[in-house]
Amino acid sequence: MSTLSILLFTAGLAVAQSSVAETPSYATVTSPATATLTSTSACEKADLVLHNTTIYTANDSQWKAQAVASLANKIVFVGSNEAAKKYMCGNANVIDMAGKTVFAGFTDSHQHLEGVGKRTKTLSLFGLPTLKQTVKEIENWASSVPDNNWVLGRGWIEREWTDEQRFLSRHDVDGFTANKPLFMPRADGVSALVNSKALELAGVTRHTPDPEGGKFERDESGELTGYVLANAMNVFRDIIPKDTDAYLKDNLLRGLQANVAMGWTQTQDAGMPYRLVDLMQQIHQQGDMLHRVYASIPVLQAEQLFTRGREKTADDMFDVRGIKVFIDGTLGSRGAALLENYSDAPHNGFMNRITQEALVPILHKALQHGAQVQTHVIGDRAVRSLLNWYEEAYNTVPKEEWAQQDLRWRMEHAQVITPRDQQRFVDLNVIPSMQPSHGSGDLNFAGARLGQARLAYAYPWKSLVDKGLKVVAGSDAPVEVGDPRIEFYAAVARKRLDGTSGEGWHPEQAVSRETALKMLTIWPAYGAFQEHLRGSIEVGKYADFTIFNRDIMTVPEQDILTAENVMTVVNGQVVYRREN
């Protein structure tokens, strides 16, 4: 990882870690009205007025403005500074935004909120530059863990190491964890390092068969390496002591605080179990929801979704509507399912994290119940298979049972899509939910995994947009940093964070800044059936704004990453303001 990306992540994590204690940063700003009305002017009621700025509305019919006013939680005015003066009266909180830029509130279309919060208080290996330093950090952390307790953390990623680029193995850590089981997911979250003690407790030996949709990696002699993929992780998760509700709730609160500090006004949670849903309902009832959350339920709890139905708060702060499914693994771990073998391995990945036989009946029920389906697919084989299964469901369930529904089924990640299958997204009305930062990070290894020919249709953001598709952008945090600046930059630059590129990286697949803004605002609102409520700055919509100290629509490309979020407004309330 470049020095810049390490600094960006460290800064963001520092904000998140400190935010729990620094409550004033999340308090509503109060300021007196700063403009007086003429004697002939009528005072129009408003709670909040932002003026003297450039506002990017994400609304094609009025792309820019100078001022915006809101009353209660809705926008009542968008226009010029002069026309806004009639709202700068009474008890309005009027804020001069000189030198700052206001955007329609940013949405992270694919995130894991509890994991973002957990990252602030556990061992994070994200951004370490070498294998040696990574192992040293694990050793230091393990030294504070009592014997027979689990050594837990997350975030190691070999693609960034400058000394060796290989997966961690149990031999790296066994020397200092002999009496402590260890479980350390890779940054992708769908593979992990375990040590010999963890293998022993789980009863996994060299003779243990790989589970369906997973793998225990072995060396050339057949011995377990301690690197486990996908469903093979479950045998270790099952024996780790369960988190308490209080611990999980604190993680959710920390995640909310970290996100508004970054500038997110909504996150779309890709697989929130009902235990966390119930805790989120508590947080909402207590008035502690700092930003909106749109959630999908893990497929294993799909029947509960069909029974409980959609759960939405009256203020649209929390909405549960979908089902999250996993099909394959990740490209970095060589778990993504490809049509042809990897260029650097004699296999083509694996599927069946859920089998077709198990998934198709759930797809049928989702159609009948009007549930959105969001499916993790990365390789071209997984993408094609899922398109087939989606189409099969459409053709099998009688159309009178679902034809009037606005499905908006999604594919999450969809990193490698053949040209033939790109058109099928259009034909089947499937939303591509993609993470630009994966493109920047995967630049370090995608060529080796795929070869130059397949790179031509990897991360094809521009091709999909040109076909008329609304690409919704997210970060997949805590897999990635979870910073809107990084996602915006990656979408428009299609480069590493230090500005460098690589062979065959197809810069023509970068998108314009106007498109990147839509990918983080109005299109994610569409992906959550909320485009009539939010996603752009228009009268009648929710007052959700992200305010930066620089105009990322006009600054030089590399300077996008140096912009800072200075204020986040959700539901007409200033939920975060950077001091000074």
Side-chain angles (χ1 to χ4, degrees), residues 413-441:
H413 313 309
Q415 292 175 0
V416 188
I417 317 173
T418 66
R420 162 191 161 188
D421 288 329
Q422 290 175 29
Q423 180 58 41
R424 292 183 71 198
F425 275 73
V426 179
D427 298 339
L428 295 174
N429 194 29
V430 174
I431 297 173
S433 170
M434 309 173 83
Q435 296 71 51
S437 57
H438 286 348
S440 288

Side-chain angles (χ1 to χ4, degrees), residues 190-416:
V190 294
S191 58
L193 168 69
V194 297
N195 66 351
S196 294
K197 184 66 174 178
L199 290 166
E200 175 191 332
L201 292 176
V204 177
T205 71
R206 63 179 295 159
H207 304 294
T208 302
D210 291 336
E212 185 74 39
K215 181 180 179 181
F216 301 111
E217 188 183 71
R218 295 167 169 84
D219 61 22
E220 293 179 355
S221 66
E223 289 294 336
L224 297 166
T225 67
Y227 181 58
V228 299
L229 290 86
N231 288 352
M233 299 168 67
N234 294 339
V235 297
F236 304 98
R237 288 190 172 119
D238 289 345
I239 61 175
I240 295 173
K242 304 304 180 187
D243 294 326
T244 65
D245 282 355
Y247 180 83
L248 293 173
K249 189 174 181 180
D250 181 60
N251 291 346
L252 292 168
L253 290 167
R254 285 170 173 262
L256 291 166
Q257 292 175 340
N259 284 331
V260 295
M262 291 286 190
W264 299 117
T265 62
Q266 183 190 66
T267 60
Q268 298 179 0
D269 201 281
M272 177 178 280
Y274 270 113
R275 186 180 180 192
L276 296 182
V277 167
D278 294 339
L279 292 173
M280 287 299 300
Q281 294 283 19
Q282 291 179 23
I283 290 171
H284 180 267
Q285 290 166 9
Q286 294 164 3
D288 293 328
M289 286 280 288
L290 293 177
H291 65 69
R292 303 181 194 279
V293 176
Y294 177 81
S296 59
I297 301 301
V299 67
L300 293 177
Q301 295 184 326
E303 288 298 331
Q304 289 178 254
L305 178 70
F306 300 145
T307 300
R308 290 174 58 150
R310 182 183 181 188
E311 299 181 37
K312 184 182 77 67
T313 60
D315 58 2
D316 295 297
M317 290 295 289
F318 189 51
D319 192 354
V320 182
R321 184 169 182 156
I323 300 167
K324 171 64 183 300
V325 183
F326 278 95
I327 297 296
D328 64 346
T330 63
L331 192 64
S333 65
R334 300 188 185 91
L338 302 178
L339 291 168
E340 304 294 338
N341 279 355
Y342 280 85
S343 295
D344 58 357
H347 64 83
N348 65 342
F350 59 85
M351 296 255 301
N352 294 344
R353 296 185 68 183
I354 182 171
T355 64
Q356 178 180 359
E357 293 72 22
L359 178 59
V360 168
I362 295 172
L363 296 181
H364 293 173
K365 280 193 173 182
L367 280 175
Q368 294 162 336
H369 286 81
Q372 188 180 52
V373 179
Q374 303 176 16
T375 308
H376 167 118
V377 287
I378 288 184
D380 50 11
R381 178 161 59 107
V383 169
R384 180 167 297 176
S385 297
L386 187 65
L387 287 167
N388 292 340
W389 300 347
Y390 279 5
E391 186 172 19
E392 188 275 347
Y394 297 165
N395 292 334
T396 301
V397 177
K399 285 194 175 181
E400 60 268 20
E401 296 184 18
W402 63 271
Q404 302 305 314
Q405 297 182 38
D406 190 358
L407 295 179
R408 304 191 192 185
W409 285 8
R410 294 166 47 156
M411 286 199 190
E412 308 298 316
H413 313 309
Q415 292 175 0
V416 188

